[in-house]
Amino acid sequence: MQAQAAASEDHARRLAAEEHAMDTILKLENISKSFPGVKALQGIHLEIARGEIHALLGENGAGKSTLMKILCGIYQPDEGAITLDGEPRHFANYHDAVAAGVGIVFQEFSLIPYLSAVENMFLGRELRNRFGLLERGRMRRAAAEIFGRLGVAIDLSVPIRELSVAQQQFVEIGKALSLDARVLILDEPTATLTPAEAAHLFTIMRELKQQGVAMIFISHHLEEIFEVCDRITVLRDGQYVGMTEVAQSDVSRLVQMMVGRRIESSFPPKPVPRADARIVLDVVRLQRFKDSPELSFTLREGEILGFAGLVGSGRTETALAVIGAERAHVKEIRVNGAAAKLADPADALRAGVGILPESRKTEGLITDFSIKQNISINNLGKYRSLRFFIDQRSEACATAEIMKRVGVKAPTMHTEVATLSGGNQQKVVIARWLNHHTNILIFDEPTRGIDVGAKAEIYLLMRELTARGYSIIMISSELPEIVGMCDRVAVFRQGRIEALLEGNAIEANAVMTYATAGSSGATHEHA
């Protein structure tokens, strides 16, 4: 009886496997790729079923982007095969992949800001009549039909730059669908979206799934994987680790697959607050506009002060006003006990205040420059041997020491920053400000776009800095990060600081209550 049952189960498994194989739309087998001095991919396998949302996970530098560029024809593999709809395919370039039905929505948008959504969607493949004239009405109707299919409202007549970030994201998706994409790659699509916008994107993804579109979803937010994906393939150090069903996985297992070890706790222990910690930054009065709320707060030596709140609550704007990157109607600030003007970021730097901006690639780094150049660029004067010459040896020694101090992982200090992972790029920005002898650092979304392993390294580095006397303001949209890292938390709502929490009062429900409902919605326990 048991043997019969076992045989029946084995038969059912074979039937299920055959059914899945018949439904496979895309298969990548034994994909390998090398660059000079680097083995980027080795023996990678990836199999996607029709109408499946398949997560591709791995730390920064695991090979995800390289693999997707191979799938899109941007790179050519050294070894391996691509099969689409059961047929071997070779994509000589991006246009080959698009013609075969493979579309990608890159993390960095590829839209032209001065063109409309319709013009962006049909750029380079405009619809024309037999006389060669543009058929604008036909293109507009086609775009409207696609956005109707997505269930989003897009103003088709305005330039892209006038649309919200979420709307631009949906234009990118619509552009891919207008190319009849049957396999859609979504690279960090929620990185710049609010929770509500991300939820709408997931609804669209589920609808596309019902229409038979296969999707490869790349995200560092594991909770999103469990919410919307069916299966997961994990890469580590350019190698295939394994594939698993979402229903059979948990966060702990995925983290171990990605980093090769368990991360028991991402957050280092908080130090005991020092009663005698001096105030290094005292924002006595700050009013951004004539009719806006007036703010005040302090930052103590060796602490991490969190700025929490919803997107648009005024967190980043307040920090930028403090350092003079944005104008303020009223501003009274003291740094290390002395009145400080801080009329612009250069004043802030001279006072020892540095900022790690939210967009490290466009605002925090010159990605075409080397690590050494990025670290030294704000502080070349300290290496000047003669009036017009730089002491290269002194600069190199200082760069090597500070790279080691913050844990930058790279072949040499001459490595181009663009080739580094997100976590290492963030460490280069930190190294620059430490090299400039700042003692107050503002971290704006310090772990956005960074994998779980690199996040733990950044958290540990931040705590090491505060232990050495640095003071940090951390702006973050991630509640676990705010709760796990901050000694005190200023909760912003509608441009004002709604509450200042510390100690046991820093917990997720309290932060979210103040951020969404304000003091009137907070319970006595949270107050």
Side-chain angles (χ1 to χ4, degrees):
M1 191 77 172
Q2 289 179 343
Q4 185 177 1
S8 176
E9 287 181 11
D10 185 55
H11 178 66
R13 278 196 298 270
R14 284 200 306 272
L15 286 177
E18 290 171 4
E19 181 182 353
H20 176 71
M22 289 174 60
D23 202 36
T24 297
I25 186 172
L26 175 70
K27 184 183 290 186
L28 281 70
E29 298 178 278
N30 197 36
I31 299 292
S32 297
K33 178 67 177 178
S34 293
F35 298 100
V38 179
K39 187 77 173 179
L41 298 173
Q42 185 170 5
I44 302 297
H45 299 274
L46 181 65
E47 187 173 324
I48 314 294
R50 198 179 314 277
E52 175 188 17
I53 303 176
H54 195 110
L56 183 62
L57 287 186
E59 294 189 89
N60 290 109
K64 304 185 300 294
S65 294
T66 301
L67 185 64
M68 292 302 95
K69 287 178 180 178
I70 287 174
L71 177 56
C72 291
I74 298 170
Y75 291 159
Q76 299 302 310
D78 299 331
E79 299 177 41
I82 298 174
T83 304
L84 187 64
D85 277 331
E87 297 291 330
R89 303 300 295 258
H90 172 75
F91 302 138
N93 50 49
Y94 177 68
H95 297 292
D96 275 0
V98 168
V102 178
I104 184 168
V105 177
F106 292 102
Q107 184 176 357
E108 305 293 336
F109 294 161
S110 58
L111 301 170
I112 297 177
Y114 298 100
L115 299 182
S116 69
V118 178
E119 291 166 331
N120 269 279
M121 288 175 66
F122 290 94
L123 186 64
R125 54 187 191 90
E126 292 82 0
L127 303 181
R128 298 179 183 274
N129 61 22
R130 61 194 182 94
F131 301 107
L133 300 176
L134 288 177
E135 293 192 289
R136 298 184 185 277
R138 187 176 156 205
M139 288 189 290
R140 188 181 180 90
R141 287 191 297 273
E145 181 182 346
I146 288 172
F147 291 126
R149 177 182 169 190
L150 294 176
V152 295
I154 301 289
D155 189 335
L156 301 181
S157 60
V158 302
I160 282 288
R161 68 179 185 274
E162 296 183 20
L163 301 180
S164 69
V165 173
Q167 289 174 321
Q168 291 180 35
Q169 183 75 270
F170 297 138
V171 171
E172 284 277 21
I173 295 172
K175 181 179 175 181
L177 294 178
S178 73
L179 297 166
D180 296 322
R182 295 172 294 145
V183 177
L184 183 61
I185 303 163
L186 299 167
D187 187 3
E188 294 285 353
T190 63
T192 55
L193 302 185
T194 66
E197 290 166 344
H200 185 57
L201 173 63
F202 295 154
T203 299
I204 289 171
M205 290 171 65
R206 294 185 187 101
E207 291 172 355
L208 293 175
K209 173 181 175 178
Q210 294 299 317
Q211 296 167 18
V213 177
M215 282 160 279
I216 299 174
F217 181 66
I218 301 173
S219 175
H220 289 305
H221 297 287
L222 297 185
E223 68 277 8
E224 295 178 350
I225 302 300
F226 288 99
E227 182 175 349
V228 77
C229 294
D230 302 301
R231 294 189 300 165
I232 306 163
T233 291
V234 180
L235 307 183
R236 184 172 71 240
D237 298 329
Q239 299 188 29
Y240 174 81
V241 175
M243 187 277 294
T244 182
E245 304 279 342
V246 167
Q248 298 172 0
S249 302
D250 57 32
V251 170
S252 178
R253 182 186 177 195
L254 292 180
V255 169
Q256 188 170 17
M257 290 175 74
M258 282 192 290
V259 303
R261 66 189 188 280
R262 285 194 176 273
I263 298 180
E264 298 301 335
S265 175
S266 295
F267 306 112
K270 294 183 183 181
V272 177
R274 286 173 42 205
D276 62 343
R278 65 189 180 92
I279 293 174
V280 294
L281 177 67
D282 186 2
V283 178
V284 183
R285 297 175 65 205
L286 181 67
Q287 187 179 28
R288 293 177 54 222
F289 308 110
K290 185 176 181 180
D291 298 323
S292 63
E294 191 172 292
L295 309 177
S296 64
F297 62 89
T298 60
L299 176 66
R300 301 165 184 163
E301 183 179 28
E303 81 164 341
I304 298 177
L305 172 66
F307 278 11
L310 303 179
V311 174
S313 61
R315 304 166 306 170
T316 296
E317 293 80 3
T318 297
L320 293 177
V322 166
I323 66 169
E326 287 194 3
R327 295 180 64 182
H329 178 64
V330 174
K331 183 173 174 180
E332 184 182 345
I333 292 176
R334 302 181 71 84
V335 177
N336 294 316
K341 187 178 180 182
L342 306 192
D344 55 40
D347 278 350
L349 274 178
R350 283 189 286 270
V353 184
I355 186 167
L356 288 80
E358 179 179 359
S359 179
R360 58 180 172 270
K361 287 187 178 180
T362 58
E363 298 175 355
L365 295 165
I366 303 175
T367 54
D368 291 339
F369 280 20
S370 69
I371 296 171
K372 184 182 78 168
Q373 290 169 318
N374 271 279
I375 290 175
S376 301
I377 195 166
N378 288 95
N379 211 13
L380 287 173
K382 67 187 282 190
Y383 306 120
R384 191 172 292 164
S385 57
L386 296 173
R387 185 174 181 183
F388 299 109
F389 297 95
I390 299 298
D391 184 343
Q392 299 281 349
R393 184 175 179 181
S394 174
E395 181 189 13
C397 287
T399 300
E401 188 277 329
I402 206 159
M403 283 177 65
K404 182 179 179 181
R405 183 173 161 191
V406 302
V408 176
K409 298 173 185 174
T412 74
M413 68 179 69
H414 305 293
T415 301
E416 192 175 293
V417 163
T419 66
L420 301 180
S421 67
N424 279 303
Q425 288 181 349
Q426 191 70 296
K427 291 176 184 177
V428 170
V429 183
I430 296 172
R432 175 194 295 165
W433 298 134
L434 299 188
N435 190 43
H436 204 283
H437 302 300
T438 52
N439 66 331
I440 298 171
L441 296 172
I442 301 171
F443 286 64
D444 193 356
E445 301 288 0
T447 62
R448 174 165 286 173
I450 294 177
D451 60 77
V452 288
K455 280 185 178 183
E457 292 178 0
I458 294 292
Y459 297 149
L460 184 60
L461 177 57
M462 291 171 70
R463 274 301 173 197
E464 289 173 351
L465 291 174
T466 56
R468 292 204 294 264
Y470 288 87
S471 303
I472 294 173
I473 293 175
M474 184 174 77
I475 306 167
S476 177
S477 300
E478 296 192 23
L479 265 181
E481 192 167 82
I482 287 288
V483 173
M485 283 298 296
C486 298
D487 303 301
R488 292 187 300 145
V489 177
V491 185
F492 283 73
R493 180 174 179 267
Q494 297 178 347
R496 65 170 54 86
I497 296 177
E498 198 70 40
L500 187 62
L501 309 176
E502 54 186 304
N504 294 332
I506 302 175
E507 53 95 16
N509 287 340
V511 173
M512 187 52 67
T513 300
Y514 280 114
T516 56
S519 302
S520 60
T523 64
H524 177 71
E525 180 184 358
H526 294 155

